[in-house]
PDB file of all heavy atoms in Angstrom:
ATOM      1  N   ASP Q 731      60.266  -9.514-139.252  1.00 90.00           N
ATOM      2  CA  ASP Q 731      59.036  -8.825-139.650  1.00 90.00           C
ATOM      3  C   ASP Q 731      59.198  -7.313-139.538  1.00 90.00           C
ATOM      4  O   ASP Q 731      58.727  -6.561-140.407  1.00 90.00           O
ATOM      5  CB  ASP Q 731      57.883  -9.308-138.771  1.00 90.00           C
ATOM      6  CG  ASP Q 731      56.568  -8.684-139.178  1.00 90.00           C
ATOM      7  OD1 ASP Q 731      56.050  -9.022-140.256  1.00 90.00           O
ATOM      8  OD2 ASP Q 731      56.053  -7.841-138.409  1.00 90.00           O
ATOM      9  N   THR Q 732      59.867  -6.853-138.490  1.00 92.00           N
ATOM     10  CA  THR Q 732      60.122  -5.415-138.351  1.00 92.00           C
ATOM     11  C   THR Q 732      61.019  -4.911-139.464  1.00 92.00           C
ATOM     12  O   THR Q 732      60.796  -3.825-140.014  1.00 92.00           O
ATOM     13  CB  THR Q 732      60.769  -5.134-136.980  1.00 92.00           C
ATOM     14  OG1 THR Q 732      59.927  -5.633-135.944  1.00 92.00           O
ATOM     15  CG2 THR Q 732      60.983  -3.656-136.781  1.00 92.00           C
ATOM     16  N   PHE Q 733      62.022  -5.695-139.826  1.00 92.00           N
ATOM     17  CA  PHE Q 733      62.959  -5.271-140.867  1.00 92.00           C
ATOM     18  C   PHE Q 733      62.278  -5.191-142.230  1.00 92.00           C
ATOM     19  O   PHE Q 733      62.393  -4.177-142.936  1.00 92.00           O
ATOM     20  CB  PHE Q 733      64.138  -6.248-140.908  1.00 92.00           C
ATOM     21  CG  PHE Q 733      65.136  -5.956-141.986  1.00 92.00           C
ATOM     22  CD1 PHE Q 733      66.041  -4.913-141.862  1.00 92.00           C
ATOM     23  CD2 PHE Q 733      65.165  -6.728-143.136  1.00 92.00           C
ATOM     24  CE1 PHE Q 733      66.955  -4.648-142.864  1.00 92.00           C
ATOM     25  CE2 PHE Q 733      66.080  -6.481-144.143  1.00 92.00           C
ATOM     26  CZ  PHE Q 733      66.976  -5.430-144.007  1.00 92.00           C
ATOM     27  N   PHE Q 734      61.546  -6.236-142.618  1.00 90.00           N
ATOM     28  CA  PHE Q 734      60.973  -6.268-143.966  1.00 90.00           C
ATOM     29  C   PHE Q 734      59.700  -5.416-144.063  1.00 90.00           C
ATOM     30  O   PHE Q 734      59.499  -4.717-145.062  1.00 90.00           O
ATOM     31  CB  PHE Q 734      60.663  -7.715-144.369  1.00 90.00           C
ATOM     32  CG  PHE Q 734      61.883  -8.514-144.713  1.00 90.00           C
ATOM     33  CD1 PHE Q 734      62.409  -9.435-143.826  1.00 90.00           C
ATOM     34  CD2 PHE Q 734      62.527  -8.318-145.927  1.00 90.00           C
ATOM     35  CE1 PHE Q 734      63.537 -10.162-144.142  1.00 90.00           C
ATOM     36  CE2 PHE Q 734      63.669  -9.044-146.255  1.00 90.00           C
ATOM     37  CZ  PHE Q 734      64.181  -9.961-145.353  1.00 90.00           C
ATOM     38  N   ARG Q 735      58.850  -5.471-143.059  1.00 88.00           N
ATOM     39  CA  ARG Q 735      57.584  -4.751-143.153  1.00 88.00           C
ATOM     40  C   ARG Q 735      57.756  -3.241-143.003  1.00 88.00           C
ATOM     41  O   ARG Q 735      57.033  -2.472-143.649  1.00 88.00           O
ATOM     42  CB  ARG Q 735      56.614  -5.254-142.091  1.00 88.00           C
ATOM     43  CG  ARG Q 735      55.294  -4.506-142.120  1.00 88.00           C
ATOM     44  CD  ARG Q 735      54.411  -4.868-140.954  1.00 88.00           C
ATOM     45  NE  ARG Q 735      53.837  -6.189-141.084  1.00 88.00           N
ATOM     46  CZ  ARG Q 735      52.889  -6.659-140.289  1.00 88.00           C
ATOM     47  NH1 ARG Q 735      52.434  -5.923-139.304  1.00 88.00           N
ATOM     48  NH2 ARG Q 735      52.410  -7.865-140.459  1.00 88.00           N
ATOM     49  N   GLU Q 736      58.692  -2.806-142.181  1.00 89.00           N
ATOM     50  CA  GLU Q 736      58.816  -1.384-141.896  1.00 89.00           C
ATOM     51  C   GLU Q 736      59.988  -0.738-142.636  1.00 89.00           C
ATOM     52  O   GLU Q 736      59.802   0.227-143.378  1.00 89.00           O
ATOM     53  CB  GLU Q 736      58.949  -1.181-140.375  1.00 89.00           C
ATOM     54  CG  GLU Q 736      57.712  -1.662-139.623  1.00 89.00           C
ATOM     55  CD  GLU Q 736      57.854  -1.543-138.125  1.00 89.00           C
ATOM     56  OE1 GLU Q 736      58.911  -1.042-137.661  1.00 89.00           O
ATOM     57  OE2 GLU Q 736      56.925  -1.938-137.393  1.00 89.00           O
ATOM     58  N   LEU Q 737      61.211  -1.276-142.462  1.00 89.00           N
ATOM     59  CA  LEU Q 737      62.372  -0.639-143.093  1.00 89.00           C
ATOM     60  C   LEU Q 737      62.387  -0.853-144.600  1.00 89.00           C
ATOM     61  O   LEU Q 737      62.477   0.111-145.382  1.00 89.00           O
ATOM     62  CB  LEU Q 737      63.649  -1.187-142.459  1.00 89.00           C
ATOM     63  CG  LEU Q 737      64.966  -0.664-143.053  1.00 89.00           C
ATOM     64  CD1 LEU Q 737      65.063   0.849-142.917  1.00 89.00           C
ATOM     65  CD2 LEU Q 737      66.160  -1.351-142.413  1.00 89.00           C
ATOM     66  N   VAL Q 738      62.311  -2.112-145.038  1.00 90.00           N
ATOM     67  CA  VAL Q 738      62.391  -2.398-146.480  1.00 90.00           C
ATOM     68  C   VAL Q 738      61.193  -1.802-147.215  1.00 90.00           C
ATOM     69  O   VAL Q 738      61.337  -1.225-148.308  1.00 90.00           O
ATOM     70  CB  VAL Q 738      62.485  -3.923-146.703  1.00 90.00           C
ATOM     71  CG1 VAL Q 738      62.453  -4.251-148.188  1.00 90.00           C
ATOM     72  CG2 VAL Q 738      63.753  -4.469-146.065  1.00 90.00           C
ATOM     73  N   TRP Q 739      60.010  -1.900-146.638  1.00 88.00           N
ATOM     74  CA  TRP Q 739      58.833  -1.350-147.295  1.00 88.00           C
ATOM     75  C   TRP Q 739      58.898   0.172-147.375  1.00 88.00           C
ATOM     76  O   TRP Q 739      58.430   0.765-148.357  1.00 88.00           O
ATOM     77  CB  TRP Q 739      57.589  -1.816-146.577  1.00 88.00           C
ATOM     78  CG  TRP Q 739      56.297  -1.389-147.207  1.00 88.00           C
ATOM     79  CD1 TRP Q 739      55.320  -0.634-146.661  1.00 88.00           C
ATOM     80  CD2 TRP Q 739      55.855  -1.696-148.542  1.00 88.00           C
ATOM     81  NE1 TRP Q 739      54.286  -0.440-147.543  1.00 88.00           N
ATOM     82  CE2 TRP Q 739      54.588  -1.086-148.716  1.00 88.00           C
ATOM     83  CE3 TRP Q 739      56.396  -2.419-149.600  1.00 88.00           C
ATOM     84  CZ2 TRP Q 739      53.870  -1.179-149.896  1.00 88.00           C
ATOM     85  CZ3 TRP Q 739      55.672  -2.516-150.776  1.00 88.00           C
ATOM     86  CH2 TRP Q 739      54.428  -1.904-150.910  1.00 88.00           C
ATOM     87  N   ARG Q 740      59.478   0.827-146.375  1.00 88.00           N
ATOM     88  CA  ARG Q 740      59.645   2.287-146.442  1.00 88.00           C
ATOM     89  C   ARG Q 740      60.607   2.675-147.567  1.00 88.00           C
ATOM     90  O   ARG Q 740      60.362   3.633-148.316  1.00 88.00           O
ATOM     91  CB  ARG Q 740      60.169   2.814-145.112  1.00 88.00           C
ATOM     92  CG  ARG Q 740      60.407   4.331-145.097  1.00 88.00           C
ATOM     93  CD  ARG Q 740      60.997   4.786-143.797  1.00 88.00           C
ATOM     94  NE  ARG Q 740      62.339   4.291-143.600  1.00 88.00           N
ATOM     95  CZ  ARG Q 740      63.436   4.883-144.076  1.00 88.00           C
ATOM     96  NH1 ARG Q 740      63.332   5.987-144.804  1.00 88.00           N
ATOM     97  NH2 ARG Q 740      64.628   4.374-143.842  1.00 88.00           N
ATOM     98  N   LEU Q 741      61.690   1.921-147.704  1.00 89.00           N
ATOM     99  CA  LEU Q 741      62.638   2.214-148.783  1.00 89.00           C
ATOM    100  C   LEU Q 741      62.003   1.988-150.153  1.00 89.00           C
ATOM    101  O   LEU Q 741      62.267   2.743-151.106  1.00 89.00           O
ATOM    102  CB  LEU Q 741      63.881   1.343-148.622  1.00 89.00           C
ATOM    103  CG  LEU Q 741      64.733   1.609-147.366  1.00 89.00           C
ATOM    104  CD1 LEU Q 741      65.887   0.623-147.294  1.00 89.00           C
ATOM    105  CD2 LEU Q 741      65.247   3.042-147.366  1.00 89.00           C
ATOM    106  N   ILE Q 742      61.166   0.960-150.274  1.00 89.00           N
ATOM    107  CA  ILE Q 742      60.489   0.724-151.554  1.00 89.00           C
ATOM    108  C   ILE Q 742      59.519   1.862-151.869  1.00 89.00           C
ATOM    109  O   ILE Q 742      59.441   2.339-153.006  1.00 89.00           O
ATOM    110  CB  ILE Q 742      59.767  -0.638-151.514  1.00 89.00           C
ATOM    111  CG1 ILE Q 742      60.781  -1.772-151.476  1.00 89.00           C
ATOM    112  CG2 ILE Q 742      58.850  -0.793-152.725  1.00 89.00           C
ATOM    113  CD1 ILE Q 742      60.169  -3.139-151.301  1.00 89.00           C
ATOM    114  N   LEU Q 743      58.773   2.311-150.857  1.00 86.00           N
ATOM    115  CA  LEU Q 743      57.827   3.403-151.085  1.00 86.00           C
ATOM    116  C   LEU Q 743      58.530   4.705-151.452  1.00 86.00           C
ATOM    117  O   LEU Q 743      58.046   5.455-152.312  1.00 86.00           O
ATOM    118  CB  LEU Q 743      56.977   3.614-149.824  1.00 86.00           C
ATOM    119  CG  LEU Q 743      55.937   2.539-149.493  1.00 86.00           C
ATOM    120  CD1 LEU Q 743      55.275   2.851-148.166  1.00 86.00           C
ATOM    121  CD2 LEU Q 743      54.896   2.439-150.592  1.00 86.00           C
ATOM    122  N   GLU Q 744      59.651   4.988-150.837  1.00 85.00           N
ATOM    123  CA  GLU Q 744      60.329   6.255-151.088  1.00 85.00           C
ATOM    124  C   GLU Q 744      61.159   6.241-152.360  1.00 85.00           C
ATOM    125  O   GLU Q 744      61.160   7.225-153.116  1.00 85.00           O
ATOM    126  CB  GLU Q 744      61.228   6.605-149.891  1.00 85.00           C
ATOM    127  CG  GLU Q 744      60.452   6.954-148.630  1.00 85.00           C
ATOM    128  CD  GLU Q 744      61.374   7.286-147.483  1.00 85.00           C
ATOM    129  OE1 GLU Q 744      62.610   7.112-147.643  1.00 85.00           O
ATOM    130  OE2 GLU Q 744      60.872   7.711-146.424  1.00 85.00           O
ATOM    131  N   ASN Q 745      61.875   5.142-152.634  1.00 85.00           N
ATOM    132  CA  ASN Q 745      62.820   5.125-153.755  1.00 85.00           C
ATOM    133  C   ASN Q 745      62.215   4.562-155.040  1.00 85.00           C
ATOM    134  O   ASN Q 745      62.489   5.088-156.125  1.00 85.00           O
ATOM    135  CB  ASN Q 745      64.054   4.298-153.375  1.00 85.00           C
ATOM    136  CG  ASN Q 745      64.780   4.889-152.174  1.00 85.00           C
ATOM    137  OD1 ASN Q 745      64.773   6.115-151.964  1.00 85.00           O
ATOM    138  ND2 ASN Q 745      65.396   4.036-151.371  1.00 85.00           N
ATOM    139  N   LYS Q 746      61.407   3.514-154.940  1.00 82.00           N
ATOM    140  CA  LYS Q 746      60.864   2.878-156.142  1.00 82.00           C
ATOM    141  C   LYS Q 746      59.513   3.466-156.550  1.00 82.00           C
ATOM    142  O   LYS Q 746      59.313   3.855-157.700  1.00 82.00           O
ATOM    143  CB  LYS Q 746      60.734   1.368-155.916  1.00 82.00           C
ATOM    144  CG  LYS Q 746      62.051   0.672-155.651  1.00 82.00           C
ATOM    145  CD  LYS Q 746      63.000   0.772-156.854  1.00 82.00           C
ATOM    146  CE  LYS Q 746      64.304   0.026-156.591  1.00 82.00           C
ATOM    147  NZ  LYS Q 746      65.239   0.124-157.738  1.00 82.00           N
ATOM    148  N   LEU Q 747      58.602   3.525-155.601  1.00 80.00           N
ATOM    149  CA  LEU Q 747      57.258   4.018-155.915  1.00 80.00           C
ATOM    150  C   LEU Q 747      57.140   5.531-155.836  1.00 80.00           C
ATOM    151  O   LEU Q 747      56.104   6.081-156.244  1.00 80.00           O
ATOM    152  CB  LEU Q 747      56.236   3.369-154.974  1.00 80.00           C
ATOM    153  CG  LEU Q 747      56.188   1.832-155.010  1.00 80.00           C
ATOM    154  CD1 LEU Q 747      55.152   1.313-154.028  1.00 80.00           C
ATOM    155  CD2 LEU Q 747      55.896   1.337-156.419  1.00 80.00           C
ATOM    156  N   LYS Q 748      58.151   6.206-155.300  1.00 78.00           N
ATOM    157  CA  LYS Q 748      58.186   7.678-155.215  1.00 78.00           C
ATOM    158  C   LYS Q 748      56.965   8.234-154.474  1.00 78.00           C
ATOM    159  O   LYS Q 748      56.333   9.190-154.902  1.00 78.00           O
ATOM    160  CB  LYS Q 748      58.273   8.295-156.616  1.00 78.00           C
ATOM    161  CG  LYS Q 748      59.465   7.841-157.443  1.00 78.00           C
ATOM    162  CD  LYS Q 748      60.792   8.211-156.799  1.00 78.00           C
ATOM    163  CE  LYS Q 748      61.964   7.749-157.656  1.00 78.00           C
ATOM    164  NZ  LYS Q 748      63.263   8.095-157.029  1.00 78.00           N
TER     165      LYS Q 748
END
Side-chain angles (χ1 to χ4, degrees):
D731 183 70
T732 303
F733 177 76
F734 286 103
R735 178 188 287 190
E736 298 177 2
L737 177 60
V738 175
W739 184 240
R740 179 183 67 85
L741 295 177
I742 292 174
L743 289 175
E744 291 180 353
N745 299 329
K746 298 297 182 181
L747 302 179
K748 303 299 180 180

